[in-house]
Amino acid sequence: MQTETGIDTQLKDAVQLTNASWAVLAERVGGAWLTRASYHLSKSAQNELTGVMAVASTDAWLCGALSGGYSRSAGIPENKLLGVGRFFAFPISGTSKLILVGAEDQSPAAQRIWRLTSSLLAGRFTPQGQTLLPDLQSGLAFDLPLALEKVLGMFVQAVACQGAWLAIRRGDTLDILAEWNAPKARGISLQIEENPIFRRVNRSLADLLLTRGQPNFDQLPFASLKPNGGAWICLPFVIGQRLIGIVAMWRQKEFTTAERGQLRELAAGVYQTVDIVVTFSEMSAHLRRLGLLNDFVLTVSSAQNLDQIARRMFGLLSRAFSTELIALFLRSSDGRILRDYRLLDGKLNVMSVSVENHPIQPLLRDGHVRRVADSSRDGFLGIHKGARSELIVPLRYRGQATGVLVVENTYADVFSQVDEHLMVVIASHLAGLIEYTRLREEAEGRARSLGLIHEVVQQVIGLNDKKEVASITAELVAQYFKYELAAVLLMDDKKEFSIHGIGGTQAKTFKESLGDEDFVSMGGVTGHVSRRGESVLLNDTTQSTLYKPTRGWDARSEICVAVKDGDDILGLIDVESREFNAFSHNDLIAMEALAGILASVITSANQYQRLQETVRQLRLTETELKARIEAQRAAENRLLQAAKLAAVGEMAAGVAHELNNPLTTVTGFSELVLESLPEDSAHRSELLMVLQEARRASSVVRRLLDFSRQGERIRASANLNDVVDDVIALTRHLIQTNNVALILEPETSLPWVSIDSNQMKQVLLNLIHNGLQAMPKGGEMHVRTFLGKREGRDWVVLSVKDTGMGISAKDQSKIFEPFFTTKGDSGGTGLGLSVTYGIVADHGGTIEVLSHAGRGSVFEVWLPL
């Protein structure tokens, strides 16, 4: 192709010969016009010209010049930068380029000069042999819209037309991804079965030509034709007996038989290109989505709070699925509030809404994954406007749905089964991460609340003046939480509310705005809380009919809680902010806790005793918080152990596969040599040793493979006692030969639990074998099942106890790590307990060990009901 400098020179010579004002070389790429070269036109004037060419009518006029292959001229709206009132278009044959000339007039001789210039440029721009396969080095194969635009350009250049578009099939729809002089068509999805034209092409797999007056001509999509005449042709791309896409073209005059044959040959020549480009694009998207798991571990897992988790998660999903239609709904710990995270204009928006009657509520109840291909199907939720397909994945933690992750797209049938499985894996990790983060935030929030309540208690104890109590409380609330406005209202003897305490950075502004106006509006938030006694949390007052603004003060977020003694409402605590999403559920809990303390102070005649009881309750709460923090730390350790197992599993699979083939070769050839070697050979003992060690290495490889494979999981309700009976039947002889006394203690009324029986048998076998190896001189083994209770839940417990050598304290923290063994050179691989830990964790359970060196060990497997 000619350099831009050479083109500039030709434009300059032609402008000087024809006395034109300016000239540019323009090209239509991706539905827009770009300036490739220019003469006597400034940068700002080029930008202005680009804007003129982007107007729909001008774009259609220029496309007509390209498709018709003839020059034309038109007037330009008055523009100081362009300096002329008219421009002339001279198309460059065989390309998507043309020369635009700015001039008030051009004589026939001048126009001939410009046609000569365009023909000279046509010879330089047209490639000698156009290849139909994409250049993988150039990146074209990975740029689907650009590649399809070039394919469509080949059809438009081959046969003149008024407009055209190219669509790729996705499921039951045709998605228009490239257009020529039909900008409204780009990005539209067409249902194949709903349109008789596309239904006919899909079944016949042959091209279709329609002219005005024929059936279904009035159902042509995106073909603007004048009433007198018109022809429309559809050319399918077919692989085998499968339709992968179509090209539609239209114009006023009919397509000739020769033109139709030319278009058929072109369609037959480019269908492979289209298939390759679409395949590469889908593969690229698939690889990006698989990389999402690695990005999740690197970025999301290191987030410090829920907002940061959501922001990073949305960024990953947006890049992986090429959509910003993403929503995350998290239910509060008490189940009343739903925290709604969404992307709006590229920014994360967070708001708190009531769970009751919310569209997400049924999804939280059933907890099922949904993949809806099209908005017309049953079960489509449609969180975002314009969504056509969606993937809904619940977040489950310990068997309970704690939230819902929704990914939607404006195209139909976008998400595959692989995407569904990928999102399920991500959601399972995300649920645990969110729950741990929420526990930490709640612990921090409650600790802050404890500090506030302790401060209030210290300062109001012994006070009898309610106004002083309210004033101190309001100031402390604003100080601790940095609220813009915090007000405490108390009811007087006339059953009317009045402000007794106010604090915050905007307290003075609010007092001036309020004036003599009554703060409690019976139709507003404060009136609602004063009548019903129910707390209200608003993070977007513009979306609530309850909020009534005060003159000169317009809040965007508000919390209002009632100060109650039983069913009697004594007052209100109201906090407000001019920012959206200023308050969290923890703030609401803190205000409700403070309201309870304030009610006690106001109503109690015996303040000291009441406050002492409150302090005692706070200490219990602190103890509970510490216990929950310890539980969280233990959970985090289990999560780390699971991550280690996953990483080692992947490594083990790779190592095992690499070693298996050479070991098989060594074993096979050793056996062959042994068969041909005389019994009295001096080398027979050495070769037997080689064979024995090779077989031992193969056994280790087999265990590595067993450790890395998850296998097919078949969960069903089963009695754990049946699993114990089956395993004992297999191992009873082994136990007796090891001089070990077996004592069985099954719980006869044990409830059934959802398990994979084969995996649980492997768990019990591993524990029995470990126990036997710990008692080389014999002893006792107790196998027991019973019903346990912890954390407010029922569990089925399997216990294996031995009287062997025990496990040292320093080794107990490592026994579930892969390849850790205390058996030295006796043959242990260190994988048995790692596999056991992985199986139990996959069932949502835990495995615990209690051991003392020289006194034996007890392993307990806790499985949730």
Side-chain angles (χ1 to χ4, degrees):
M1 184 178 288
Q2 192 175 9
T3 64
E4 291 187 7
T5 304
I7 297 173
D8 289 341
T9 302
Q10 285 192 313
L11 293 179
K12 175 182 177 182
D13 292 342
V15 166
Q16 292 174 351
L17 288 172
T18 60
N19 292 322
S21 296
W22 48 262
V24 298
L25 174 68
E27 181 182 10
R28 195 173 192 269
V29 178
W33 289 95
L34 304 177
T35 301
R36 296 304 191 188
S38 67
Y39 174 70
H40 212 256
L41 200 63
S42 64
K43 283 290 184 183
S44 57
Q46 289 181 37
N47 294 334
E48 192 71 23
L49 180 61
T50 302
V52 172
M53 291 189 291
V55 177
S57 58
T58 308
D59 178 46
W61 183 80
L62 293 172
C63 288
L66 277 180
S67 59
Y70 52 85
S71 59
R72 52 170 56 173
S73 65
I76 307 175
E78 184 177 349
N79 191 299
K80 293 182 179 180
L81 290 174
L82 298 179
V84 293
R86 196 169 193 81
F87 58 22
F88 295 77
F90 298 92
I92 299 175
S93 177
T95 71
S96 298
K97 302 179 178 68
L98 51 75
I99 299 174
L100 279 179
V101 180
E104 296 297 341
D105 189 25
Q106 288 283 275
S107 65
Q111 293 188 37
R112 283 196 295 273
I113 291 175
W114 284 113
R115 290 192 192 96
L116 177 60
T117 303
S118 64
S119 64
L120 291 175
L121 291 178
R124 296 182 182 275
F125 284 129
T126 304
Q128 297 300 318
Q130 189 171 13
T131 178
L132 296 180
L133 289 176
D135 180 6
L136 302 184
Q137 299 299 322
S138 69
L140 178 62
F142 305 99
D143 192 341
L144 183 62
L146 181 58
L148 296 181
E149 196 81 36
K150 290 185 177 293
V151 171
L152 182 60
M154 295 170 64
F155 283 85
V156 174
Q157 292 164 16
V159 175
C161 65
Q162 181 179 333
W165 50 256
L166 186 152
I168 296 300
R169 182 173 184 176
R170 286 182 174 142
D172 296 330
T173 64
L174 290 167
D175 293 343
I176 299 177
L177 301 181
E179 53 81 22
W180 172 263
N181 199 21
K184 292 183 179 179
R186 183 182 293 272
I188 299 298
S189 294
L190 304 172
Q191 293 290 331
I192 296 176
E193 293 301 320
E194 291 180 2
N195 190 301
I197 300 172
F198 301 135
R199 189 165 60 243
R200 177 177 170 184
V201 172
N202 183 42
R203 292 174 181 175
S204 66
L205 300 179
D207 60 284
L208 177 63
L209 177 64
L210 293 178
T211 57
R212 188 173 297 280
Q214 289 184 318
N216 301 321
F217 188 82
D218 57 342
Q219 299 189 35
L220 296 177
F222 308 109
S224 54
L225 294 167
K226 296 179 181 179
N228 54 341
W232 185 89
I233 188 170
C234 177
L235 302 147
F237 297 144
V238 180
I239 299 289
Q241 293 298 314
R242 179 171 57 91
L243 179 70
I244 65 169
I246 65 172
V247 167
M249 302 172 66
W250 59 91
R251 67 185 186 189
Q252 285 301 128
K253 65 177 182 179
E254 294 188 9
F255 293 94
T256 65
T257 303
E259 288 175 331
R260 191 173 180 181
Q262 186 178 0
L263 292 175
R264 284 175 181 166
E265 291 180 3
L266 187 55
V270 301
Y271 76 89
Q272 290 183 336
T273 299
V274 173
D275 189 43
I276 291 174
V277 169
V278 172
T279 301
F280 268 105
S281 177
E282 292 176 351
M283 289 174 59
S284 178
H286 180 65
L287 291 174
R288 285 198 307 271
R289 293 175 187 180
L290 289 180
L292 185 63
L293 284 173
N294 185 54
D295 292 342
F296 177 86
V297 174
L298 294 177
T299 60
V300 179
S301 299
S302 62
Q304 299 300 312
N305 53 58
L306 292 178
D307 289 357
Q308 201 173 70
I309 289 175
R311 188 177 294 106
R312 294 183 180 182
M313 192 72 243
F314 280 27
L316 292 177
L317 295 178
S318 179
R319 291 193 298 272
F321 293 100
S322 301
T323 180
E324 288 194 351
L325 307 186
I326 306 170
L328 174 65
F329 301 92
L330 298 179
R331 183 165 54 183
S332 62
S333 54
D334 60 5
R336 294 185 300 169
I337 304 297
L338 200 63
R339 199 149 176 84
D340 182 344
Y341 295 83
R342 302 195 197 191
L343 278 180
L344 296 177
D345 298 326
K347 295 181 179 180
L348 182 67
N349 183 68
V350 188
M351 60 184 299
S352 297
V353 295
S354 174
V355 173
E356 189 175 357
N357 299 324
H358 196 280
I360 290 295
Q361 191 176 20
L363 301 176
L364 290 170
R365 281 199 298 263
D366 62 40
H368 293 157
V369 178
R370 292 187 188 179
R371 177 165 52 92
V372 186
D374 192 86
S375 57
S376 60
R377 308 279 179 86
D378 292 337
F380 185 76
L381 187 62
I383 294 294
H384 301 88
K385 184 178 180 181
R388 290 286 306 280
S389 58
E390 65 185 4
L391 185 58
I392 304 173
V393 184
L395 306 181
R396 301 184 66 85
Y397 182 75
R398 292 187 175 180
Q400 299 294 324
T402 59
V404 176
L405 181 61
V406 181
V407 183
E408 297 180 330
N409 202 295
T410 54
Y411 290 107
D413 199 20
V414 169
F415 304 106
S416 65
Q417 190 173 19
V418 175
D419 297 331
E420 180 181 328
H421 293 166
L422 176 66
M423 289 301 298
V424 168
V425 174
I426 290 175
S428 65
H429 291 288
L430 186 62
L433 179 63
I434 287 175
E435 192 62 26
Y436 301 147
T437 305
R438 179 154 51 191
L439 282 173
R440 187 178 65 249
E441 288 187 354
E442 286 185 2
E444 293 171 352
R446 293 191 178 187
R448 193 167 61 250
S449 302
L450 285 173
L452 168 64
I453 294 171
H454 179 68
E455 188 75 19
V456 170
V457 169
Q458 279 192 330
Q459 295 206 26
V460 303
I461 189 169
L463 296 178
N464 296 318
D465 187 347
K466 293 194 296 183
K467 187 171 183 178
E468 188 177 358
V469 170
S471 178
I472 292 174
T473 302
E475 290 291 345
L476 288 175
V477 167
Q479 174 186 338
Y480 263 77
F481 294 97
K482 296 180 175 57
Y483 291 152
E484 291 181 69
L485 177 67
V488 177
L489 297 86
L490 299 178
M491 181 180 288
D492 56 22
D493 296 335
K494 298 179 181 180
K495 302 295 182 180
E496 294 180 352
F497 290 94
S498 58
I499 298 177
H500 282 239
I502 188 168
T505 57
Q506 298 297 321
K508 183 177 179 181
T509 303
F510 179 77
K511 284 181 181 179
E512 294 173 353
S513 301
L514 186 62
D516 297 331
E517 187 179 341
D518 190 0
F519 183 75
V520 177
S521 172
M522 297 312 295
V525 174
T526 50
H528 176 84
V529 176
S530 66
R531 288 194 309 274
R532 299 194 176 186
E534 299 174 353
S535 302
V536 171
L537 167 61
L538 299 178
N539 269 319
D540 186 355
T541 57
T542 61
Q543 302 298 318
S544 174
T545 57
L546 279 179
Y547 180 74
K548 305 296 184 218
T550 302
R551 183 180 66 253
W553 171 262
D554 197 5
R556 291 288 179 265
S557 303
E558 181 175 5
I559 294 178
C560 187
V561 300
V563 179
K564 298 189 296 184
D565 180 21
D567 294 331
D568 297 329
I569 297 178
L570 307 176
L572 303 173
I573 299 177
D574 187 83
V575 293
E576 300 182 15
S577 172
R578 289 179 172 176
E579 300 291 331
F580 289 105
N581 303 305
F583 306 126
S584 68
H585 185 65
N586 284 338
D587 294 319
L588 177 62
I589 293 176
M591 292 302 101
E592 289 178 338
L594 181 60
I597 297 297
L598 197 57
S600 297
V601 174
I602 293 172
T603 59
S604 177
N606 192 351
Q607 296 179 8
Y608 180 79
Q609 286 79 1
R610 293 284 183 92
L611 293 175
Q612 284 293 97
E613 178 65 17
T614 301
V615 171
R616 189 183 71 81
Q617 291 293 334
L618 292 177
R619 287 174 178 167
L620 289 177
T621 303
E622 184 179 8
T623 303
E624 178 189 350
L625 286 175
K626 290 180 179 179
R628 292 187 67 178
I629 291 173
E630 288 298 323
Q632 175 189 346
R633 187 176 294 113
E636 289 174 347
N637 290 336
R638 289 196 295 271
L639 181 63
L640 179 61
Q641 179 69 15
K644 287 182 180 180
L645 286 175
V648 172
E650 292 179 1
M651 179 198 73
V655 172
H657 283 296
E658 290 295 328
L659 292 177
N660 201 38
N661 290 337
L663 285 175
T664 302
T665 303
V666 171
T667 304
F669 277 103
S670 297
E671 290 173 346
L672 290 174
V673 173
L674 277 173
E675 289 177 1
S676 61
L677 204 65
E679 291 292 335
D680 57 350
S681 172
H683 300 291
R684 189 173 184 85
S685 60
E686 288 88 347
L687 198 57
L688 281 171
M689 183 181 297
V690 169
L691 180 60
Q692 180 180 358
E693 292 302 313
R695 287 174 176 171
R696 190 167 73 89
S698 296
S699 175
V700 173
V701 168
R702 187 167 58 256
R703 293 188 185 183
L704 283 173
L705 284 173
D706 291 339
F707 173 74
S708 64
R709 293 192 188 109
Q710 291 185 353
E712 182 180 0
R713 294 177 296 180
I714 303 176
R715 299 281 177 86
S717 294
N719 192 326
L720 196 59
N721 287 333
D722 294 340
V723 173
V724 173
D725 292 341
D726 291 344
V727 174
I728 293 302
L730 292 173
T731 58
R732 188 180 296 276
H733 178 71
L734 179 64
I735 294 172
Q736 291 175 351
T737 55
N738 279 269
N739 197 27
V740 172
L742 175 64
I743 301 171
L744 294 176
E745 299 177 79
E747 171 65 50
T748 56
S749 59
L750 198 67
W752 286 26
V753 63
S754 177
I755 57 173
D756 184 328
S757 297
N758 289 331
Q759 288 187 337
M760 294 314 299
K761 288 177 183 178
Q762 182 179 354
V763 168
L764 182 55
L765 277 171
N766 287 346
L767 295 179
I768 289 176
H769 284 160
N770 283 355
L772 293 176
Q773 291 170 355
M775 297 183 290
K777 297 182 180 179
E780 289 185 358
M781 177 174 290
H782 297 255
V783 179
R784 177 187 174 210
T785 60
F786 59 93
L787 185 63
K789 195 175 186 69
R790 62 167 57 167
E791 301 174 353
R793 296 181 62 188
D794 292 328
W795 302 69
V796 171
V797 186
L798 169 65
S799 172
V800 178
K801 177 182 177 183
D802 63 68
T803 58
M805 61 187 68
I807 305 170
S808 66
K810 73 171 185 176
D811 288 342
Q812 289 184 30
S813 62
K814 305 176 184 177
I815 57 174
F816 295 110
E817 294 184 1
F819 306 111
F820 178 81
T821 179
T822 59
K823 300 170 187 175
D825 297 329
S826 62
T829 63
L831 294 176
L833 284 178
S834 296
V835 172
T836 300
Y837 182 94
I839 293 174
V840 174
D842 190 50
H843 280 72
T846 61
I847 181 169
E848 300 171 355
V849 60
L850 177 63
S851 181
H852 299 282
R855 293 164 53 188
S857 304
V858 180
F859 286 82
E860 289 185 351
V861 176
W862 290 67
L863 299 173
L865 283 178

